[in-house]
Amino acid sequence: MVSVRELFRTMEYGPAPESPQAAYAWLDEHGRKFGLFINNRWVYPEGAHYVPSYNPATGEVLAETVQAGREEVDQAVSTARQAFETWSRTPGSVRARYLYAIARHVQKHHRLLAVLESLDNGKPLRESRDIDVPLVARHFYYHAGWAQLMERELPQYQPLGVVAQIIPWNFPLLMLAWKIAPAIALGNTVVIKPASYTRLSALLFAEILAEAGLPPGVVNILTGSGEVGAMLATHPDVDKVAFTGSTEVGRTLRQLTAGSGKRLSLELGGKSPFIVFDDADLDSAIEGVVDAIWFNQGQVCCAGSRLLLQENIAERFLRKLKARMNRLRVGDPLDKAIDMGAIVDRTQWETIHRWVQTGQAEGGLCYQPDIPLPEKGWFYPPTLITGLDAAASTVQEEIFGPVLVSLTFRSPAEAVELANNTRYGLAASVWTENINLALDVARQIKAGTVWLNSTNLFDAAAGFGGYRESGFGREGGKEGLFEYLSPRGMPRPRPDLTSLGLDPATNRPRGPVAWGEHIPGRPARPEAVRANGYASPRIDRTPKMYIGGRQVRPDGGYVLPVFDPQGRLIGQVGDGNRKDIRDAVEAARRAGPAWASRHGHHRAQILYYIAENLDVRREEFAARLVEMTAVTHQAALEEVEAAINRLLTYAAWADKYGGTVQETPLRGITVAVNEPVGVIGIVCPQEYPLLAFVSLMAPAIARGNTVVIVPSSLHPLAATDFYQVLDTSDVPPGVVNIVTGDRDHLTKTLVQHEDVDAVWYFGSAEGSYWVEYESACNMKRTWVNYGLLRDWMSSEQGEGEEFLRQATQVKNIWMPGGA
Ligand code: NDP
């Protein structure tokens, strides 16, 4: 027995254990054996295989759960489809009540949910009780609000249909809420698959849904392996796949869903920087580090796992940090006085340990405090590795455990460079008392969330999601809603890809791959020409390509003929190749930072100027359209007029789509900034050669992107005439680059280019498939039309917010305030 006097001397914590009894009682009620939750009922498939769920802190088996198979996947999807018919037509105000009810029931079972989560995952109860479960309720409340407002605030949108959701094990319940709440609020129905390590809280949540009276089939919960995730993602009757997990599986899902017309959102891994400048409040920053990397044992996608310290404070900071690490308490997750619980599973523990060994092999100095760890269970000490090179794999790769690596920098510019020296872009923390510096750095970091003098803040009102290989799409905030909506009247495309002979297991063509194989200088000639020869070769001018503000000849030195619909030769254009695309991407990348940082007003001025110059040459462009596409003069003039108008529309938007203030509980301000995506490759449709070109270029550049455009390959001359308009309109070199040539070949090069951030493709269903499939190389964003024609003349289809959204990515900056 420790005396009071002794306690005062050591300031030692006493144990503060939470009883697991209520959770055990719930497990016992189910005989510690769980089925699948389909149509609001427990389904126990005949002959099914059951797998144990362990408590990683003790190794005890908590319960057994079913491995679903193909049959259950079909059953759950068709149940969700049936439910969609009613749920999508249920008034938003009624759906809102269900979501409120779910939130209330989550609150009622708050403690049980938290204890079960900690038992199954190993996370400290302090976190599951005070962070995870309250945020779960908050997500349902917040999205209940959007259900209520949907008809009035989003009248031009409709739900997508059946959504397959696949979630990881690090925040089993919270990820489930992030996924389910927006989906059902907006009228979709759901089949969700929890991660194998952590299935139990999803099953308790299933009961809560039924208790809250949610109509059967709206949410279905399938436990199963990663294979079940793949079955769901490839199910023909699923309209959208929402995934959180590793970048590797995200890449697989991108490939498996390519060309299907399914929507996809991916929340992937990260290696987030935690930057401390020399004027920061160091003690607060130390607590920030604890929260950034030891919250949830570092098993957090946005964990601040790369500590970047200004050189002149590094030594002092690390000394303080080690002292703090010596006081961290690792132990029983149900003890409310511990800082870190258990790692979710032995396999993860081993991976973490291997990384630490790698860090040491790479020359790092490893520090682990000499603190007691429980003898049983998968506990890992807080770990700091210093002295590594910025290129070391331990610095570059996600470890997903309580392991922090630390580097130093001298100037803000170097801090930004190091911060961005990663393939990821999920989050960042910036610590400084200088608001100018903080905001300047926040704007330059490529990440979906930046916390100033804070870390790991989340709320339903602020979207969360990545840049670059951390994925695309947002969860939370108004921006997150569009992941579950499509424009009204534009149902999911269901392209026919039989010509590709896809293997259903891999979604790859079975035969040899032919996409984009192009022999330069051997253009396909129209039938008429093959039969009759060139009827009227009367053009001697060869329009060039437009790269970096200069008219350039194609690298390969070949040209392609351009015919009118009667098969007459009306011109020739450069036959661009891989090198031309590379040059164009380089030019676009170089022009990017200056263009993005221009004030919207300046970009608007340039768009007005382009419009003005096009207006001056309207007759010339109309004549070109008549010549190329044989439209009437009147129709051609209308197309030119629409193009001018579109330029004016995006000039208008250039300074009106900057972002919003998010209403999070933060004392301070959370702002959502709509940032440019970066370099966008645009492949124009064949139809409306001028208008479609302008309709795609204008929103992209209005919002600060730079572009590489492949114009209509049948009718490219409007685009090659257009660079003369650009030349006279003060468009900075490299902002717009135009490469003519074989569409498939150029598209393939664009989409495989690692330095292109997004590709917009308006062409065939097959081309759309390839664009989506190949985009997995660097997880670039894609926007494709699956071969469907758009009415570019109409303002519903040819312009609008959809274009602006595609041209931007949201960064949420959290700025705490207070004297
Ligand atoms: P995984 O990507 O392995 O698993 C995530 C989910 O996908 C699980 O449900 C898993 O099922 C399932 N899955 C596995 N293989 C496939 C497949 N081929 N097709 C479809 N689904 C599949 O990640 P972890 O669960 O290991 O989580 C850790 C990773 O997730 C980390 O890299 C972390 O950065 C990232 N993550 C990202 C977050 C974000 O918001 N960006 C949040 C949380 C984690 P099963 O469990 O049965 O294998």
Side-chain angles (χ1 to χ4, degrees):
M1 195 64 175
V2 187
S3 70
V4 172
R5 187 194 172 94
E6 184 69 1
L7 271 179
F8 268 106
R9 198 183 60 74
T10 60
M11 293 302 282
E12 192 46 86
Y13 290 85
E18 174 81 14
S19 165
Q21 288 315 320
Y24 287 166
W26 178 77
L27 293 171
D28 289 338
E29 256 174 51
H30 289 265
R32 302 228 173 196
K33 202 164 179 167
F34 289 85
L36 308 166
F37 186 73
I38 302 176
N39 219 11
N40 279 16
R41 286 210 312 270
W42 292 112
V43 173
Y44 299 88
E46 221 167 283
H49 178 53
Y50 284 79
V51 292
S53 231
Y54 296 97
N55 175 347
T58 60
E60 86 177 297
V61 173
L62 294 168
E64 286 187 315
T65 56
V66 177
Q67 291 291 76
R70 167 82 55 198
E71 217 172 289
E72 293 76 51
V73 168
D74 288 344
Q75 192 185 345
V77 173
S78 83
T79 302
R81 171 63 57 196
Q82 267 171 25
F84 179 72
E85 296 309 316
T86 322
W87 185 246
S88 58
R89 295 201 189 102
T90 304
S93 56
V94 176
R95 289 201 305 267
R97 293 196 182 196
Y98 286 113
L99 272 98
Y100 284 126
I102 296 168
R104 291 253 189 268
H105 283 262
V106 164
Q107 287 178 318
K108 269 192 237 172
H109 299 293
H110 184 158
R111 203 73 171 201
L112 178 59
L113 282 164
V115 173
L116 187 69
E117 190 79 322
S118 284
L119 282 174
D120 200 20
N121 168 280
K123 62 173 67 205
L125 182 74
R126 236 168 12 102
E127 293 175 7
S128 51
R129 182 196 60 190
D130 300 346
I131 298 170
D132 297 36
V133 180
L135 272 173
V136 169
R138 165 85 179 125
H139 270 263
F140 281 95
Y141 279 125
Y142 176 80
H143 287 99
W146 278 120
Q148 179 81 23
L149 298 175
M150 180 174 168
E151 281 125 29
R152 216 182 41 230
E153 295 302 313
L154 299 157
Q156 64 282 48
Y157 291 94
Q158 64 192 15
L160 298 172
V162 176
V163 181
Q165 305 183 320
I166 304 165
I167 54 174
W169 43 260
N170 56 346
F171 292 90
L173 201 55
L174 186 56
M175 290 301 112
L176 171 140
W178 281 23
K179 295 268 180 298
I180 294 180
I184 65 172
L186 303 173
N188 302 279
T189 54
V190 164
V191 182
I192 190 165
K193 188 200 98 62
S196 286
Y197 294 144
T198 52
R199 298 171 164 186
L200 298 180
S201 55
L203 299 171
L204 171 55
F205 183 80
E207 273 193 2
I208 290 176
L209 290 178
E211 188 183 283
L214 189 72
V218 174
V219 172
N220 304 278
I221 302 180
L222 288 187
T223 50
S225 65
E227 228 174 293
V228 168
M231 284 180 206
L232 275 172
T234 51
H235 196 291
D237 213 19
V238 159
D239 301 301
K240 144 112 198 180
V241 178
F243 172 78
T244 298
S246 60
T247 296
E248 283 54 49
V249 176
R251 216 183 291 286
T252 306
L253 290 173
R254 169 69 291 180
Q255 293 173 337
L256 285 178
T257 55
S260 63
K262 288 176 193 167
R263 292 273 292 275
L264 177 68
S265 52
L266 300 173
E267 304 282 352
L268 309 174
K271 188 81 179 181
S272 299
F274 187 104
I275 308 170
V276 187
F277 286 98
D278 59 5
D279 65 345
D281 171 349
L282 295 194
D283 290 326
S284 299
I286 294 283
E287 289 314 305
V289 173
V290 171
D291 204 19
I293 187 65
W294 294 308
F295 168 57
N296 204 26
Q297 297 71 250
Q299 303 166 126
V300 183
C301 48
C302 53
S305 50
R306 277 189 301 145
L307 176 62
L308 308 181
L309 297 171
Q310 197 149 21
E311 198 175 77
N312 53 340
I313 52 148
E315 210 184 305
R316 189 151 62 98
F317 193 87
L318 290 174
R319 219 176 26 248
K320 276 173 174 283
L321 183 60
K322 287 176 187 168
R324 182 69 181 88
M325 288 167 77
N326 295 342
R327 311 291 295 177
L328 287 172
R329 307 180 83 242
V330 181
D332 177 6
L334 292 192
D335 181 343
K336 281 158 281 191
I338 59 111
D339 298 301
M340 284 170 59
I343 302 298
V344 72
D345 187 79
R346 178 193 179 139
T347 324
Q348 289 299 319
W349 190 99
E350 286 167 354
T351 309
I352 295 164
H353 193 55
R354 262 200 311 279
W355 271 117
V356 172
Q357 288 169 329
T358 306
Q360 287 168 308
E362 288 181 318
L365 259 178
C366 173
Y367 180 77
Q368 289 178 332
D370 185 17
I371 51 176
L373 298 186
E375 276 165 22
K376 243 178 34 187
W378 300 111
F379 293 90
Y380 205 89
T383 303
L384 167 70
I385 307 182
T386 52
L388 284 164
D389 190 87
S393 63
T394 334
V395 174
Q396 289 296 325
E397 299 299 328
E398 183 177 45
I399 297 175
F400 222 59
V403 183
L404 178 67
V405 298
S406 166
L407 304 174
T408 59
F409 65 87
R410 289 189 177 162
S411 62
E414 197 189 346
V416 169
E417 199 180 311
L418 276 175
N420 287 336
N421 180 22
T422 166
R423 63 193 169 109
Y424 297 114
L426 199 52
S429 271
V430 181
W431 293 74
T432 166
E433 292 299 295
N434 177 345
I435 183 79
N436 297 328
L437 176 63
L439 287 175
D440 191 41
V441 169
R443 290 305 302 268
Q444 292 182 67
I445 291 178
K446 302 215 177 317
T449 299
V450 180
W451 295 291
L452 303 185
N453 295 321
S454 54
T455 195
N456 277 344
L457 300 175
F458 309 100
D459 185 59
F464 183 84
Y467 280 29
R468 311 206 267 198
E469 292 192 36
S470 290
F472 42 79
R474 293 290 178 269
E475 291 185 307
K478 188 174 181 189
E479 61 267 34
L481 302 181
F482 300 101
E483 303 300 330
Y484 292 101
L485 294 170
S486 64
R488 199 165 271 288
M490 289 181 81
R492 173 188 153 193
R494 288 179 181 268
D496 177 7
L497 295 175
T498 35
S499 64
L500 288 171
L502 298 175
D503 176 345
T506 59
N507 205 29
R508 287 281 295 172
R510 285 203 184 85
V513 176
W515 181 54
E517 277 166 20
H518 167 66
I519 306 161
R522 303 236 191 107
R525 285 183 287 160
E527 278 303 319
V529 179
R530 253 175 276 158
N532 310 322
Y534 294 153
S536 168
R538 58 187 169 78
I539 300 289
D540 56 11
R541 186 170 65 110
T542 301
K544 302 194 186 64
M545 299 191 293
Y546 189 64
I547 297 178
R550 289 186 314 120
Q551 300 177 21
V552 296
R553 290 182 196 287
D555 169 74
Y558 288 100
V559 290
L560 292 173
V562 181
F563 303 103
D564 73 5
Q566 282 77 45
R568 283 178 305 221
L569 180 74
I570 53 168
Q572 289 167 322
V573 290
D575 187 10
N577 66 13
R578 210 165 256 283
K579 171 81 165 58
D580 297 310
I581 290 283
R582 273 208 304 268
D583 291 346
V585 172
E586 264 173 43
R589 179 60 66 196
R590 262 197 311 276
W595 182 244
S597 59
R598 281 213 187 192
H599 189 279
H601 171 72
H602 293 148
R603 291 198 297 262
Q605 292 298 308
I606 287 174
L607 283 154
Y608 284 128
Y609 203 6
I610 302 174
E612 222 173 88
N613 284 324
L614 182 57
D615 190 36
V616 171
R617 299 171 62 170
R618 62 168 60 220
E619 279 298 340
E620 185 192 326
F621 272 89
R624 186 59 111 182
L625 291 173
V626 171
E627 183 185 28
M628 284 193 304
T629 60
V631 287
T632 62
H633 180 246
Q634 182 56 29
L637 269 179
E638 280 167 18
E639 183 174 343
V640 179
E641 179 56 33
I644 294 169
N645 202 38
R646 217 136 269 174
L647 287 160
L648 297 177
T649 296
Y650 291 108
W653 276 116
D655 57 3
K656 296 177 189 63
Y657 200 69
T660 45
V661 172
Q662 310 274 42
E663 300 195 47
T664 67
L666 178 75
R667 182 169 172 223
I669 300 177
T670 310
V671 285
V673 186
N674 288 335
E675 295 199 333
V677 178
V679 175
I680 302 183
I682 298 177
V683 183
C684 297
Q686 302 290 21
E687 68 275 13
Y688 292 105
L690 175 68
L691 179 59
F693 175 93
V694 167
S695 302
L696 293 164
M697 176 201 73
I701 65 171
R703 293 311 319 168
N705 302 283
T706 53
V707 295
V708 177
I709 310 189
V710 177
S712 161
S713 59
L714 287 179
H715 317 297
L717 298 177
T720 51
D721 292 342
F722 202 82
Y723 63 61
Q724 291 163 5
V725 174
L726 297 172
D727 258 348
T728 50
S729 307
D730 288 351
V731 179
V735 170
V736 179
N737 304 277
I738 303 170
V739 180
T740 50
D742 179 273
R743 258 163 82 84
D744 286 352
H745 176 63
L746 296 177
T747 306
K748 182 175 180 182
T749 309
L750 260 180
V751 79
Q752 289 179 341
H753 199 301
E754 296 268 346
D755 209 22
V756 171
D757 299 296
V759 169
W760 299 354
Y761 173 89
F762 288 81
S764 64
E766 289 82 0
S768 301
Y769 159 82
W770 281 114
V771 166
E772 290 192 334
Y773 194 95
E774 296 288 333
S775 69
C777 66
N778 68 342
M779 305 305 291
K780 53 173 72 70
R781 275 172 67 174
T782 54
W783 183 26
V784 303
N785 68 330
Y786 305 103
L788 296 181
L789 292 184
R790 236 170 219 260
D791 177 6
W792 293 94
M793 292 293 284
S794 87
S795 55
E796 284 78 34
Q797 294 194 16
E799 63 177 47
E801 211 181 336
E802 191 188 2
F803 290 74
L804 294 165
R805 260 201 312 281
Q806 294 291 349
T808 49
Q809 54 190 345
V810 183
K811 174 188 279 178
N812 275 283
I813 305 178
W814 296 66
M815 297 181 273

